[in-house]
Every structure is written in C-alpha cells, then in structure tokens.
Amino acid sequence: MKKPMLVSELLTECYSLNPVKPPTLVNWWKAVNPIKDCEIEAITKRDVQMYIVKHWRNKQNPENPWADRTMKQRLQSLRALWNMGIEWEFIEGYNPWIKAGSKIKTTRTKAYPDRPFSFYKPFHYDPQFLCIWYHGCRLGEIAGLEKQEIVFNHRIPHFKFIDTELRDMKNGPSVRDVPIHPSCYSIVDQLKTSRAKVGPGRGWSKRFRRDCGLPCGEAAHSLRHSFHTRCRSAGIEDSMMDALTGHGKDSMGSNYGNFKLEDKYIAISKLPDEFELM
C-alpha cells in the first residue's frame, strides 16, 4: 500500500479503505481542496489557523468566504480524515485539526421576515417555488426528487422523500410522505427531477434570491419559516407541521405513532390557494 504524501493522496487512500457516501465525499473534497497539494507531515497548527483565517467569513477574505456552519463542517471533515490517517498509520504524531474551530459559534435558528405571496411575483408560476411554498420542504428535497417519487397513482397524490444511493435525507424525520397540495397538481410534472440531492437547485437558489431582491443568506430556506407561520394561521398543530416539514420531535412521547397520509392531506388542504386570494 502506497503511503500518501499529499493531502489529496491521503483522502484517496482513506476513501479506498473506508468509502463514504457521495455527498460526504463531496464535502471532504471541498475541505481538502485549499490544501490538496500540501505535504501531510508539513501541516502544523499555524497552517490550520491560516486555513481558518483565509476562508472564514469573519476574517479578512473578500473572495468566496465560508459561513460559520460551512467552516465548522470543513474542519470536522479534516479532523475525521486525519484521525483515519493516524489510525491506519499513514500519519505519525498528533492531529493538528483536533481543536480547530472550537471558537466558531453557529446559530441554529434565524429570524426571516414573513413575506406575502405577492412579494414573490417573478416566481408565481415556478414549479420549485410553488412546491416549497405549499409544502414547506427543503429545496434539496424538491430538486432531488426522481420521477417515481412523485406519486399520482394513489388516492392521495404525494411526494415520497426517501434516502437513495446518491441522496441522503437530512435526518430520520425527513424521510416521509407529503400530500401534494391541490394548487400544485398541475405543475409537479414540470419539476426538474434529479438523482442528486441538490441537482438543479443550486442555480435556482441564486436566481431566486437575485430576481426577488433578497439579501445574501435569505433564499429558499426562508420559505420554510413562512410555511410554519401560515400553518399556524390555518390552525395546523405543531406536531403536524413537523410531520409535513421533516423536523425532529421535541419529546420522547411524541416519537410514538405517526400521522396517516389522509390526516396530512386534511391539514395541508387548510392552506388556501394563493391565486384565489389575489
């Protein structure tokens, strides 16, 4: 077995011994890319700090800065990669990434303004926008749907959000069936389906933010927040909202049982057709 000398070679060797799922591998390569041609043994704690300074958005980097959460993810990937390298004796000594980024704090929730449907006029007839607006799903979930996961040969048409070989759901509750809102019956066949989790969603998100004049950091995910507000206004209970959007449950007791597809359809149908309100 060839002992890797460069960081890129370390990743290749580790992947050959312990393959990870494609989305994870993509994240690892993004983390490695800035230092892929560096010698493994030459990287010190100072180099780790320079890596953070150069790429973290809170530091002096006007070109393609990384957000807090992205930086955390990249550092976790490098920490895991080095741990594997040490375990398989590719690397001798300590792991310089072991405490990297410990001072980077991320916020899990963000307040988004509840913008009305009229605000998104450029996208009123866009299939991806309408599916997120009426169902509260993640952009990656809609963009990653395959044809067979849009089920119309059932008494209740619905989306099947499931794990596939090339697309992992974010968590357990994200694997779910969501009834298609009646307002979307005529547009779901226009969705650009893909085997990848993000698929055509990357470019769409940038265009959505640009055409609607949204600030940086506020794009399709803000529609999920708006969906929860509209659900509450329609009298839909929180546990049902979690079932529709794929959020985890707060208590152990709430983990028992599930909502039937019929119950979800009754709930989601309470959301009015926005075109009729205009």
Side-chain angles (χ1 to χ4, degrees):
M1 183 183 298
K2 177 186 175 184
K3 185 172 182 178
M5 298 294 294
L6 305 180
V7 176
S8 57
E9 294 173 346
L10 174 65
L11 177 52
T12 301
E13 285 296 327
C14 287
Y15 179 71
S16 69
L17 292 170
N18 182 29
V20 295
K21 293 183 178 180
T24 302
L25 183 61
V26 168
N27 285 331
W28 282 24
W29 273 115
K30 286 179 179 177
V32 161
N33 191 57
I35 54 172
K36 63 182 180 181
D37 296 324
C38 295
E39 291 188 3
I40 300 167
E41 299 292 348
I43 292 180
T44 64
K45 287 185 177 180
R46 177 174 174 78
D47 296 317
V48 171
Q49 187 59 35
M50 290 303 298
Y51 178 98
I52 296 173
V53 169
K54 186 175 180 181
H55 299 286
W56 189 24
R57 70 175 175 85
N58 288 348
K59 306 298 180 181
Q60 301 297 321
N61 177 34
E63 297 180 2
N64 301 318
W66 290 344
D68 297 357
R69 193 178 299 242
T70 301
M71 194 72 222
K72 281 277 195 181
Q73 185 184 58
R74 300 287 187 266
L75 294 172
Q76 288 169 359
S77 297
L78 289 167
R79 182 161 60 248
L81 180 62
W82 246 253
N83 282 341
M84 284 193 287
I86 292 171
E87 178 184 351
W88 291 320
E89 299 182 349
F90 292 145
I91 304 174
E92 296 179 358
Y94 72 101
N95 185 342
W97 304 92
I98 198 69
K99 293 184 179 179
S102 59
K103 295 182 180 179
I104 299 176
K105 306 299 180 183
T106 61
T107 54
R108 295 193 60 82
T109 57
K110 180 178 179 180
Y112 293 102
D114 288 321
R115 306 184 189 277
F117 185 73
S118 57
F119 176 84
Y120 302 101
K121 187 175 181 180
F123 286 81
H124 276 182
Y125 296 94
D126 183 281
Q128 293 199 117
F129 164 76
L130 291 173
C131 284
I132 299 172
W133 179 266
Y134 283 110
H135 305 95
C137 50
R138 301 172 180 89
L139 173 60
E141 293 172 342
I142 283 294
L145 280 171
E146 299 182 40
K147 290 290 186 183
Q148 64 269 25
E149 294 162 9
I150 304 174
V151 182
F152 258 101
N153 58 345
H154 189 278
R155 65 183 184 279
I156 299 178
H158 60 278
F159 297 119
K160 290 190 75 69
F161 295 120
I162 58 175
D163 283 317
T164 67
E165 182 180 353
L166 295 180
R167 189 191 72 235
D168 286 333
M169 292 291 101
K170 184 175 182 180
N171 50 37
S174 296
V175 178
R176 65 199 189 281
D177 293 342
V178 177
I180 299 175
H181 190 281
S183 300
C184 294
Y185 285 171
S186 62
I187 55 92
V188 291
D189 62 340
Q190 300 173 37
L191 286 169
K192 295 179 180 179
T193 57
S194 167
R195 288 185 62 81
K197 183 177 180 180
V198 289
R202 287 189 183 278
W204 185 91
S205 187
K206 293 180 180 178
R207 182 167 55 88
F208 175 70
R209 189 172 64 244
R210 180 197 66 205
D211 293 355
C212 292
L214 296 170
C216 183
E218 181 185 342
H221 200 73
S222 63
L223 299 177
R224 276 169 64 82
H225 291 247
S226 174
F227 178 81
H228 276 76
T229 299
R230 288 181 286 113
C231 281
R232 291 190 179 98
S233 297
I236 300 173
E237 61 186 52
D238 287 353
S239 56
M240 176 59 78
M241 282 190 277
D242 289 341
L244 292 171
T245 58
H247 279 124
K249 301 171 183 177
D250 294 331
S251 66
M252 180 59 69
S254 63
N255 286 311
Y256 293 97
N258 206 342
F259 288 100
K260 295 180 180 178
L261 194 60
E262 291 83 352
D263 297 329
K264 293 180 181 178
Y265 178 75
I266 292 172
I268 210 166
S269 296
K270 293 179 180 179
L271 297 174
D273 185 322
E274 296 287 351
F275 292 100
E276 293 181 356
L277 299 177
M278 293 174 62

